[in-house]
Amino acid sequence: MPDPRRAGARTAAVIEAIRQRLATRALAPGQRLPSIRAFAATMDVSPATVVEAYDRLAAEGVIRARRGSGFYVADMALPPLALVAGEPRRPRAVDPFWVSRQSLDADEGTLMPGCGWLPADWMPQDALRRAVRAVARSSGPALTDYSTARGSGALRRVLQGRLAGLGIDAFSEQIVLTSSGTQAIDLMCRMLLRPGDTVLVDDPCYFNFLALLRAHQARIVSVPMTPSGPDIAQFETVLAAERPRLYITNSGLHNPTGATLSLQAAHRLLNAAAAHDMLIIEDDIYGDFEPEPSPRLAALDGLQRVILIGSFSKTLSASVRCGYIAARPDWIEPLIDLQIATGFGGPGQFAAETLAQVLTGGSYRKHIEELRARLSRARPRVAARLQRLGVTPWLMPRGGFHLWCTLPEGCRAIDVAQAALADNVVLAPGDVFSAAQSAAMMMRFNVAHCEDISVIAALERAIN
Amino acid sequence: MPDPRRAGARTAAVIEAIRQRLATRALAPGQRLPSIRAFAATMDVSPATVVEAYDRLAAEGVIRARRGSGFYVADMALPPLALVAGEPRRPRAVDPFWVSRQSLDADEGTLMPGCGWLPADWMPQDALRRAVRAVARSSGPALTDYSTARGSGALRRVLQGRLAGLGIDAFSEQIVLTSSGTQAIDLMCRMLLRPGDTVLVDDPCYFNFLALLRAHQARIVSVPMTPSGPDIAQFETVLAAERPRLYITNSGLHNPTGATLSLQAAHRLLNAAAAHDMLIIEDDIYGDFEPEPSPRLAALDGLQRVILIGSFSKTLSASVRCGYIAARPDWIEPLIDLQIATGFGGPGQFAAETLAQVLTGGSYRKHIEELRARLSRARPRVAARLQRLGVTPWLMPRGGFHLWCTLPEGCRAIDVAQAALADNVVLAPGDVFSAAQSAAMMMRFNVAHCEDISVIAALERAIN
């Protein structure tokens, strides 16, 4: 009897061979694919294997069958993102876009315990309203003109002060504003990576790192997370064996686990990075949720091989969008050129000035203190409710709004998430966050969205 | 006597060989370069050639000389953008970033006849102010929340109506909002291009197309522009010979020439594109400046192989930033995924709702009519002043604010631009716009900025 695993590998090889020909355009849109018999001979496999491969490509819309005349490349077929890296497609429920697409386009009334941001009424709407009015009143050009190449000086000076508070000395000229936090990471990846470069992430990590790295055709390797940072012994082993060019992480409050990098782990991690000449992107997007600041890699390293990025989308506004990059002074000029080439600059001046206005007003600190206090009350309450369903936090985080949880014995997160979706509830199944696909029984919960008692009821239905 | 051109070619070959080793990391940061004698033997050139090549790389900061011990790769040297494509660096005055960098970071009081946008007081500041206040008042989530994946439905419906007015039938679901017009082109290039792909542009073309394509490591070919579009005979020849994957152009009012694509040229151009399966990005950013709409490629083609992109940065605001893409329905899903992966969505909701508010208010049409009338008066007046200096418009455009001009006999645009810069005046020398470097005697003027009489005086000084 044929070994099904080997048959699967042969089908995959045929699919890969066709994708190669499409990527290099050896097979052009509209062109007929080799006949099944001929291609079976070329690939030294059975015709049934080629049929299987062609059927799968047809199901993906990459090629089309024409009755009685074989298979053709779909008209101007684009390589969808998932195919660019030559990776097999994952089912949508563990695709890194699952949570973001469901959350962004959720209907009114959808419950979103899996979503990665706070409800609108937790955000400082009045302070934003005041800031918007003040900027509109104060200046015509702020409403109409392009920003300077680095972005608003006022906001960069605010950031300089905030970084200094974390022990990171940066001139405001070392800070570049970007359209969003994600775009900040994307710009750095465009500067630092070439297709095929190896990039290290935590397991689990923020799902969009995986989507972004796939768009860069990076080879992704991962190290398991512990409550005090990545497992350092494995970290050192992976660096020696895989020589990643770059490591992307959140240090202060890790997404999705809520872990905090310890000082000792930060020190060893930086030494390993130096020994293997690896760069680090430290995404500080959850920094303001910490009860007190934990060590930043960028502070220990002095912004040499660490690039700090962040945004205000989690604490202030995801609508008035702006991210930032703090990096080595000699990287700033090429970074600015790249941002002009690919976006003609970063955020709008109006957005940056509005954020500077809120951050320099007295109300921001008060807002953050209230957010922290409210989340500190919500975390244990939601954890207790989850535990009654057999859903157990992996860690009780120091801050933030995520709880990374183990589901009850025998529960698969994908199945629960798909059942919940039918019930109009967006969950965040663990493997979405896992490059190693090691989190089939895990799930991330947003405690702010779980205060609604109907979320727990819906989760109970989905589990059972 | 050695032929200096051949010596130059040998030096360039040595530089290219080192860059290759850096790009593939065969030479890693901190590593010692081969000795001059050894590398001369490897490359079969004289040691003097290698010295020359190493000196030039050292001047660029890519490598560093250490006294008495040879040359080393600069510590974590980044490939600056200009080097990524393996192209030789151009002097900054004909680098495609010259105009944008000078204009964006101009000091107060700098005169900017070379700049690509209107002065702040030509923009509808009051309408923007009213819109900003209305959006801030109407909705909390508009101030705080992420947009839907495609971006504001209100703005996409406005765009749908505007496109219909140009004969382009698109569902609002076929329209995706982006952070800026440039970012719209960048996203499409990320979907459509692979490094080394050939892309066709007009000669001259918008300089940032050249910067963007270089960031994509595209091979750029060009066709000379005529007053009614690209030279069609040459266009057909280049398509047959070079098989470009993509053509990027402005059709209605071309930047920098002000030319308008004729209906006949549009038809032939699309037929040639179809015959050679070439895609087209039509950048409609100057569309609203036309006295009456000219044919759009996207309208003739029905958004099959043409992607229409645009923004409001030239007519409404470059601060409240937003661009858009209208494309084939089956390209929208991968496009959304790509925009989430690389930016977690497009423009902020607040920006998009503000623009929708201005565009649906009655004042926008009046503002545009006033802009057109004001520019129609300014164009001949500025042209007459320029002509008195021997600066001759190549074409009197139907609309817009650019005049593409020939300088007096014997004047080199780079020299004039550099002299003017010392005088605090930013000019736009022709070769910045030219992939073929065919515009050494040309210059682009912004008529709105040339109304200031001191601009003409400064230009006169720079020419003489």
Side-chain angles (χ1 to χ4, degrees), chain A residues 41-370:
Chain A
T42 304
M43 295 290 294
D44 195 19
V45 296
S46 73
T49 302
V50 177
V51 168
E52 163 89 20
Y54 281 15
D55 277 343
R56 279 212 235 154
L57 287 166
E60 283 179 11
V62 174
I63 64 175
R64 288 199 187 130
R66 283 198 209 143
R67 195 181 287 265
S69 84
F71 287 84
Y72 291 77
V73 181
D75 187 32
M76 290 190 289
L78 282 174
L81 199 56
L83 303 184
V84 170
E87 274 187 30
R89 260 172 190 267
R90 295 186 190 171
R92 195 72 182 170
V94 284
D95 175 309
F97 294 106
W98 198 84
V99 179
S100 36
R101 293 297 303 270
Q102 301 293 346
S103 306
L104 291 172
D105 283 330
D107 293 328
E108 189 102 23
T110 301
L111 300 173
M112 306 212 289
C115 124
W117 53 88
L118 292 172
D121 57 9
W122 288 53
M123 301 299 255
Q125 297 182 354
D126 288 338
L128 281 162
R129 242 176 226 121
R130 281 194 303 274
V132 157
R133 286 202 199 101
V135 175
R137 204 166 41 232
S138 69
S139 154
L143 277 163
T144 58
D145 278 16
Y146 288 100
S147 219
T148 56
R150 283 173 174 75
S152 156
L155 184 53
R156 286 186 292 109
R157 284 187 294 275
V158 171
L159 285 166
Q160 182 182 13
R162 287 164 56 96
L163 295 184
L166 296 168
I168 302 164
D169 286 323
F171 297 107
S172 69
E173 288 73 23
Q174 268 174 274
I175 301 170
V176 176
L177 304 186
T178 61
S179 301
S180 69
T182 300
Q183 198 241 344
I185 306 178
D186 182 52
L187 273 175
M188 290 310 312
C189 286
R190 284 176 97 150
M191 274 188 57
L192 301 172
L193 298 180
R194 300 287 165 274
D197 274 356
T198 301
V199 178
L200 178 64
V201 294
D202 304 311
D203 185 37
C205 72
Y206 173 39
F207 49 75
N208 209 51
F209 292 165
L210 303 175
L212 175 70
L213 291 171
R214 208 151 78 175
H216 284 273
Q217 302 182 45
R219 197 172 74 87
I220 300 172
V221 294
S222 63
V223 167
M225 202 61 191
T226 80
S228 56
D231 181 303
I232 285 291
Q234 290 199 45
F235 191 90
E236 288 163 349
T237 307
V238 168
L239 260 59
E242 307 280 354
R243 308 288 309 231
R245 166 84 170 144
L246 179 68
Y247 169 50
I248 308 186
T249 191
N250 322 102
S251 55
L253 285 170
H254 179 260
N255 181 7
T257 62
T260 294
L261 187 68
S262 72
L263 187 56
Q264 194 194 354
H267 174 65
R268 283 185 61 183
L269 188 159
L270 279 172
N271 282 348
H276 297 287
D277 199 30
M278 180 183 73
L279 303 170
I280 300 174
I281 293 178
E282 183 173 34
D283 175 3
D284 200 35
I285 193 159
Y286 295 101
D288 277 355
F289 288 106
E290 287 191 291
E292 66 284 326
S294 58
R296 292 295 187 280
L297 292 166
L300 269 75
D301 167 69
L303 285 178
Q304 283 304 296
R305 65 178 63 253
V306 177
I307 302 111
L308 189 85
I309 80 102
S311 89
F312 304 96
S313 59
K314 306 301 178 191
T315 51
L316 219 165
S317 174
S319 167
V320 182
R321 298 196 83 189
C322 181
Y324 61 87
I325 298 170
R328 296 165 55 118
D330 55 333
W331 291 3
I332 299 299
E333 277 296 312
L335 183 62
I336 291 173
D337 278 357
L338 183 61
Q339 182 157 249
I340 288 175
T342 58
F344 210 75
Q349 199 183 157
F350 188 78
E353 297 296 341
T354 299
L355 295 176
Q357 185 84 22
V358 176
L359 291 164
T360 51
S363 68
Y364 183 71
R365 206 168 64 110
K366 191 153 163 285
H367 160 66
I368 288 293
E369 280 165 9
E370 281 170 7

